[in-house]
Every structure is written in C-alpha cells, then in structure tokens.
Amino acid sequence: MWHEDEPIAHPSSVPLYFVSRLARDHVKVVLAGEGSDELLAGYGKYPRSLVNWRAGSIYATVVPDAARLWLRERVVPRLPGRMGRYAQRSFLGLPHTPEAIFFDTFAGIRLPQARGLLSRRAIAAARDPYAASCAWLDRAQPGTPLLNRVLYADLKTYLVELLMKQDQMSMAASIESRVPFLDHRLVEFAAMLPPSAKLRGLTTKRILRAAVRDVLPPEILARPKMGFPVPFGRWMRTEWSSVARDVLLDRRTRERGIIAPAAVERLIGAHRSGTTDGGDALWALLNLELWYRTCVDGDGAQVLSTPAGLPPSNTAAPVDVTAREAIA
C-alpha cells in the first residue's frame, strides 16, 4: 500500500511484488502481458456480458417493465444455490443498463453491497463509480461494434489501474517491467479488428491463439484463464478475522465515519461462519482504513498484529513514522 499510494484494489499486487523480488535476483527488466486481455477480449466476462446484453434486449421487448422488476426483486433472490447466484448476475437479475451488465456485475463489491457497508454520509458524498467507464463506452465512434466499445472503455479505465499496479510493484522491487502488447502499432491494429477475430463463442483472444498455434502446445492454448489469487477470503475465516475486527471496529475507524459498523460486524461474522463470501468486501474495507492511516493520518506504513494463538510473523517489522522517507 505504501508503494501504491492508494488502497490496494487488486490483492494480486501482493504476490506480484514478491515475484518481482524473486526476478530481481536474476534480471533487471521483465516482460509482462498487461493489455492483451483488454485488446483481444481475453476475460471471461466479455462473452458472458455480451450474451446477457443481447438476451436482455429481447427480454425487455417481450416482458413488460413491471413483470421484469417483480421477477428481479422477488423471484430471482429466492432461487436456491448456484441457480440463484447465476440468475442474479444474468439479465434476469440485472437492470438492462451498461453499468449493471458490463461493469457492476463483475466488480469485487457490487454497488448494493457497498452501499450497505458504508455510512449515510459516505454514500451521500460518493460519486458514480461507473461514470467514467460509461463515458468512454459512449465516446467510441458511431457504428463501432459493441464488443469493441466495451474493450475501449476497459482500455481507458480498468487497464490504467493494472498498469499502475504493475509499474509500482515492479519498481518497488527495483525491477523494470515492459508491456509489449501495448506497443502503439499493435494497439492500433487490434482496435481495427472485427469482434470475430477476438472472440467467437467462448474462445477468447482468438487471433492470438491462431497466431501461436504452431509455437505453443495445445494444453497451453486451451488452458482456462488463470488469475493471480491470494487466499485472503480463507484467511478471514481463521484467527485472522479477529484482526479485521480489531481494525474495522475500533474507535478510530468508527469516528472516521465512513463505514456502517453494525453492517461490517455482521459481514465479518457471516464470512467467518461461511454463510456468505465477504472476502472481497473485507479486503476493500481493510485497505481503505489502513490507507487512511498510512497516507492521510500520516502514520507511516502499517503492520497488522498477529492474531492471538499464532506464532509471531517474522516477515516484516513495524515501520516507524520517522522512517517513511527511507522506505521510499
């Protein structure tokens, strides 16, 4: 967080930093793949969102507004298990808007949940988190295919965050990362490609897979998408949930007036018991409060205490406020 100068949105920043530390022992410059997913529709969200948008368009013309609203609010939330989870993230459970279909449903914390965890004052002061994405979506040239418009919006918004993360974490480890997929000539070429060259059915990055078919083995070409996960949600179901409670429910955090303490307390308990998956929300809330303490309150880099009953961590020592310049 110290090196990012902002709350860590992506938990993958943490392993990325340590991978950069390992690479630093051998090289000074590395090549990274940032940009390829946004250029060539590499994320699984693209085929899902396009299907939902097209199905939702038909659904809206066939089913009256009142009936759709009743189904979305009364029926879909009561569907059991996996069926209910899929329905809530489909055109049946979402308004037919770009914010809902293309952005919010794939967010770590969806807007209804975020609003439930924040104080009224924080909600009143908040800006529309998808205004910029929708503006870029609408800014594409007339006649641009829908997939290319969505990719353009992600290039201008989501990719910016990824590039900041990549640059900050690699530089924090004293290594330089280059992003060859973002060579301007390749970006311009990809932008002119028809959607079918990028996505067909569930096959993402179609033109790239075809280009390297003679170079990579089939098991790599057909391998499912893999992220860079951190088992934070699992940690929050162990003794570490007490650390989240200590940070998020102490007097200092309450007096800051950003979160709704009772709602956050319920989330911590429900996540630990396994009745809900609140890992992403707890990550975001913890990062927000610790960032405030680090960068706004001026208390320097924060180190969480080890939960009672666990051996002390030897991975880092507390950082004194006076050593802040030395860290940089």
PDB file of all heavy atoms in Angstrom, residues 1 32 48 97 109-110 119 121 123 151 168 178 188 210 239 295 317:
ATOM      1  N   MET A   1       0.829  -1.204   0.000  1.00  0.00           N
ATOM      2  CA  MET A   1       0.000   0.000   0.000  1.00  0.00           C
ATOM      3  C   MET A   1       0.866   1.258   0.000  1.00  0.00           C
ATOM      4  O   MET A   1       0.536   2.249  -0.646  1.00  0.00           O
ATOM      5  CB  MET A   1      -0.915  -0.021   1.224  1.00  0.00           C
ATOM      6  CG  MET A   1      -1.937   1.094   1.242  1.00  0.00           C
ATOM      7  SD  MET A   1      -2.901   1.033   2.748  1.00  0.00           S
ATOM      8  CE  MET A   1      -3.615  -0.597   2.616  1.00  0.00           C
ATOM      9  N   ALA A  32       5.864  -8.273 -19.392  1.00  0.00           N
ATOM     10  CA  ALA A  32       4.580  -8.617 -18.789  1.00  0.00           C
ATOM     11  C   ALA A  32       3.485  -8.588 -19.850  1.00  0.00           C
ATOM     12  O   ALA A  32       3.639  -7.977 -20.902  1.00  0.00           O
ATOM     13  CB  ALA A  32       4.248  -7.642 -17.654  1.00  0.00           C
ATOM     14  N   ARG A  48     -19.794 -13.498 -21.508  1.00  0.00           N
ATOM     15  CA  ARG A  48     -20.955 -13.541 -20.618  1.00  0.00           C
ATOM     16  C   ARG A  48     -21.761 -12.248 -20.696  1.00  0.00           C
ATOM     17  O   ARG A  48     -22.995 -12.270 -20.757  1.00  0.00           O
ATOM     18  CB  ARG A  48     -20.509 -13.807 -19.185  1.00  0.00           C
ATOM     19  CG  ARG A  48     -19.888 -15.180 -18.978  1.00  0.00           C
ATOM     20  CD  ARG A  48     -19.913 -15.585 -17.527  1.00  0.00           C
ATOM     21  NE  ARG A  48     -19.153 -14.694 -16.677  1.00  0.00           N
ATOM     22  CZ  ARG A  48     -17.854 -14.824 -16.421  1.00  0.00           C
ATOM     23  NH1 ARG A  48     -17.175 -15.823 -16.984  1.00  0.00           N
ATOM     24  NH2 ARG A  48     -17.232 -13.990 -15.620  1.00  0.00           N
ATOM     25  N   THR A  97     -28.867  -2.128 -18.204  1.00  0.00           N
ATOM     26  CA  THR A  97     -28.065  -0.912 -18.335  1.00  0.00           C
ATOM     27  C   THR A  97     -26.608  -1.306 -18.490  1.00  0.00           C
ATOM     28  O   THR A  97     -26.182  -2.359 -17.983  1.00  0.00           O
ATOM     29  CB  THR A  97     -28.207  -0.002 -17.099  1.00  0.00           C
ATOM     30  OG1 THR A  97     -27.669  -0.694 -15.955  1.00  0.00           O
ATOM     31  CG2 THR A  97     -29.661   0.362 -16.848  1.00  0.00           C
ATOM     32  N   ILE A 109     -16.871  -5.784  -5.333  1.00  0.00           N
ATOM     33  CA  ILE A 109     -18.010  -5.467  -4.469  1.00  0.00           C
ATOM     34  C   ILE A 109     -19.054  -4.771  -5.334  1.00  0.00           C
ATOM     35  O   ILE A 109     -18.789  -3.706  -5.890  1.00  0.00           O
ATOM     36  CB  ILE A 109     -17.620  -4.518  -3.320  1.00  0.00           C
ATOM     37  CG1 ILE A 109     -16.382  -5.025  -2.601  1.00  0.00           C
ATOM     38  CG2 ILE A 109     -18.761  -4.393  -2.326  1.00  0.00           C
ATOM     39  CD1 ILE A 109     -15.916  -4.106  -1.513  1.00  0.00           C
ATOM     40  N   ARG A 110     -20.210  -5.357  -5.451  1.00  0.00           N
ATOM     41  CA  ARG A 110     -21.267  -4.736  -6.235  1.00  0.00           C
ATOM     42  C   ARG A 110     -21.871  -3.579  -5.447  1.00  0.00           C
ATOM     43  O   ARG A 110     -21.821  -3.527  -4.214  1.00  0.00           O
ATOM     44  CB  ARG A 110     -22.317  -5.780  -6.593  1.00  0.00           C
ATOM     45  CG  ARG A 110     -21.733  -6.898  -7.473  1.00  0.00           C
ATOM     46  CD  ARG A 110     -22.742  -7.974  -7.737  1.00  0.00           C
ATOM     47  NE  ARG A 110     -23.849  -7.470  -8.544  1.00  0.00           N
ATOM     48  CZ  ARG A 110     -24.963  -8.163  -8.792  1.00  0.00           C
ATOM     49  NH1 ARG A 110     -25.121  -9.370  -8.277  1.00  0.00           N
ATOM     50  NH2 ARG A 110     -25.911  -7.644  -9.536  1.00  0.00           N
ATOM     51  N   SER A 119     -21.482   4.320   5.612  1.00  0.00           N
ATOM     52  CA  SER A 119     -22.354   5.226   6.347  1.00  0.00           C
ATOM     53  C   SER A 119     -23.169   6.072   5.379  1.00  0.00           C
ATOM     54  O   SER A 119     -22.826   6.206   4.195  1.00  0.00           O
ATOM     55  CB  SER A 119     -21.524   6.140   7.254  1.00  0.00           C
ATOM     56  OG  SER A 119     -20.749   7.031   6.461  1.00  0.00           O
ATOM     57  N   ARG A 121     -23.361   9.237   5.334  1.00  0.00           N
ATOM     58  CA  ARG A 121     -22.538  10.370   4.917  1.00  0.00           C
ATOM     59  C   ARG A 121     -21.615   9.980   3.766  1.00  0.00           C
ATOM     60  O   ARG A 121     -21.448  10.737   2.800  1.00  0.00           O
ATOM     61  CB  ARG A 121     -21.708  10.870   6.099  1.00  0.00           C
ATOM     62  CG  ARG A 121     -20.956  12.174   5.826  1.00  0.00           C
ATOM     63  CD  ARG A 121     -20.117  12.575   7.006  1.00  0.00           C
ATOM     64  NE  ARG A 121     -18.929  11.733   7.130  1.00  0.00           N
ATOM     65  CZ  ARG A 121     -18.030  11.865   8.116  1.00  0.00           C
ATOM     66  NH1 ARG A 121     -18.218  12.752   9.063  1.00  0.00           N
ATOM     67  NH2 ARG A 121     -16.970  11.089   8.165  1.00  0.00           N
ATOM     68  N   ILE A 123     -22.085   7.527   1.605  1.00  0.00           N
ATOM     69  CA  ILE A 123     -22.894   7.274   0.411  1.00  0.00           C
ATOM     70  C   ILE A 123     -23.274   8.595  -0.255  1.00  0.00           C
ATOM     71  O   ILE A 123     -23.212   8.738  -1.483  1.00  0.00           O
ATOM     72  CB  ILE A 123     -24.155   6.475   0.782  1.00  0.00           C
ATOM     73  CG1 ILE A 123     -23.759   5.073   1.262  1.00  0.00           C
ATOM     74  CG2 ILE A 123     -25.102   6.378  -0.402  1.00  0.00           C
ATOM     75  CD1 ILE A 123     -24.916   4.277   1.814  1.00  0.00           C
ATOM     76  N   LEU A 151     -14.333  -2.994 -24.925  1.00  0.00           N
ATOM     77  CA  LEU A 151     -12.874  -3.099 -24.807  1.00  0.00           C
ATOM     78  C   LEU A 151     -12.243  -1.715 -24.720  1.00  0.00           C
ATOM     79  O   LEU A 151     -11.295  -1.495 -23.946  1.00  0.00           O
ATOM     80  CB  LEU A 151     -12.307  -3.860 -26.008  1.00  0.00           C
ATOM     81  CG  LEU A 151     -12.695  -5.337 -26.131  1.00  0.00           C
ATOM     82  CD1 LEU A 151     -12.135  -5.923 -27.423  1.00  0.00           C
ATOM     83  CD2 LEU A 151     -12.216  -6.134 -24.936  1.00  0.00           C
ATOM     84  N   GLN A 168       4.169   0.035 -10.211  1.00  0.00           N
ATOM     85  CA  GLN A 168       4.524   0.339  -8.826  1.00  0.00           C
ATOM     86  C   GLN A 168       5.129  -0.861  -8.106  1.00  0.00           C
ATOM     87  O   GLN A 168       6.092  -0.721  -7.358  1.00  0.00           O
ATOM     88  CB  GLN A 168       3.279   0.846  -8.086  1.00  0.00           C
ATOM     89  CG  GLN A 168       2.839   2.229  -8.545  1.00  0.00           C
ATOM     90  CD  GLN A 168       1.407   2.534  -8.151  1.00  0.00           C
ATOM     91  OE1 GLN A 168       0.566   1.646  -8.042  1.00  0.00           O
ATOM     92  NE2 GLN A 168       1.106   3.804  -7.941  1.00  0.00           N
ATOM     93  N   ARG A 178       8.217  -4.237 -18.765  1.00  0.00           N
ATOM     94  CA  ARG A 178       7.784  -3.708 -20.063  1.00  0.00           C
ATOM     95  C   ARG A 178       6.521  -4.446 -20.500  1.00  0.00           C
ATOM     96  O   ARG A 178       6.325  -5.613 -20.176  1.00  0.00           O
ATOM     97  CB  ARG A 178       8.888  -3.903 -21.108  1.00  0.00           C
ATOM     98  CG  ARG A 178      10.232  -3.280 -20.717  1.00  0.00           C
ATOM     99  CD  ARG A 178      10.273  -1.801 -20.991  1.00  0.00           C
ATOM    100  NE  ARG A 178      11.516  -1.197 -20.535  1.00  0.00           N
ATOM    101  CZ  ARG A 178      12.649  -1.177 -21.222  1.00  0.00           C
ATOM    102  NH1 ARG A 178      12.708  -1.765 -22.410  1.00  0.00           N
ATOM    103  NH2 ARG A 178      13.717  -0.571 -20.732  1.00  0.00           N
ATOM    104  N   GLU A 188      -3.209  -0.156 -32.174  1.00  0.00           N
ATOM    105  CA  GLU A 188      -3.983   0.375 -33.297  1.00  0.00           C
ATOM    106  C   GLU A 188      -4.483  -0.747 -34.204  1.00  0.00           C
ATOM    107  O   GLU A 188      -5.618  -0.711 -34.699  1.00  0.00           O
ATOM    108  CB  GLU A 188      -3.124   1.374 -34.080  1.00  0.00           C
ATOM    109  CG  GLU A 188      -2.823   2.646 -33.291  1.00  0.00           C
ATOM    110  CD  GLU A 188      -1.663   3.437 -33.873  1.00  0.00           C
ATOM    111  OE1 GLU A 188      -1.103   2.993 -34.906  1.00  0.00           O
ATOM    112  OE2 GLU A 188      -1.311   4.473 -33.294  1.00  0.00           O
ATOM    113  N   ALA A 210      -4.565 -18.279 -32.674  1.00  0.00           N
ATOM    114  CA  ALA A 210      -4.265 -18.779 -34.022  1.00  0.00           C
ATOM    115  C   ALA A 210      -2.826 -18.451 -34.412  1.00  0.00           C
ATOM    116  O   ALA A 210      -2.145 -19.260 -35.056  1.00  0.00           O
ATOM    117  CB  ALA A 210      -5.241 -18.172 -35.028  1.00  0.00           C
ATOM    118  N   GLU A 239      -8.215 -17.342  12.454  1.00  0.00           N
ATOM    119  CA  GLU A 239      -7.934 -16.379  13.519  1.00  0.00           C
ATOM    120  C   GLU A 239      -7.740 -14.963  12.993  1.00  0.00           C
ATOM    121  O   GLU A 239      -7.886 -13.991  13.737  1.00  0.00           O
ATOM    122  CB  GLU A 239      -6.689 -16.801  14.307  1.00  0.00           C
ATOM    123  CG  GLU A 239      -6.868 -18.062  15.125  1.00  0.00           C
ATOM    124  CD  GLU A 239      -6.579 -19.321  14.309  1.00  0.00           C
ATOM    125  OE1 GLU A 239      -6.463 -19.217  13.069  1.00  0.00           O
ATOM    126  OE2 GLU A 239      -6.471 -20.400  14.929  1.00  0.00           O
ATOM    127  N   CYS A 295      -1.555   7.206   4.675  1.00  0.00           N
ATOM    128  CA  CYS A 295      -1.334   8.343   3.784  1.00  0.00           C
ATOM    129  C   CYS A 295      -2.066   9.621   4.185  1.00  0.00           C
ATOM    130  O   CYS A 295      -1.627  10.709   3.818  1.00  0.00           O
ATOM    131  CB  CYS A 295      -1.744   7.958   2.359  1.00  0.00           C
ATOM    132  SG  CYS A 295      -0.761   6.615   1.667  1.00  0.00           S
ATOM    133  N   ALA A 317       8.989  -6.062  10.061  1.00  0.00           N
ATOM    134  CA  ALA A 317       8.995  -5.384  11.350  1.00  0.00           C
ATOM    135  C   ALA A 317       8.185  -4.111  11.236  1.00  0.00           C
ATOM    136  O   ALA A 317       8.073  -3.527  10.163  1.00  0.00           O
ATOM    137  CB  ALA A 317      10.434  -5.055  11.756  1.00  0.00           C
TER     138      ALA A 317
END
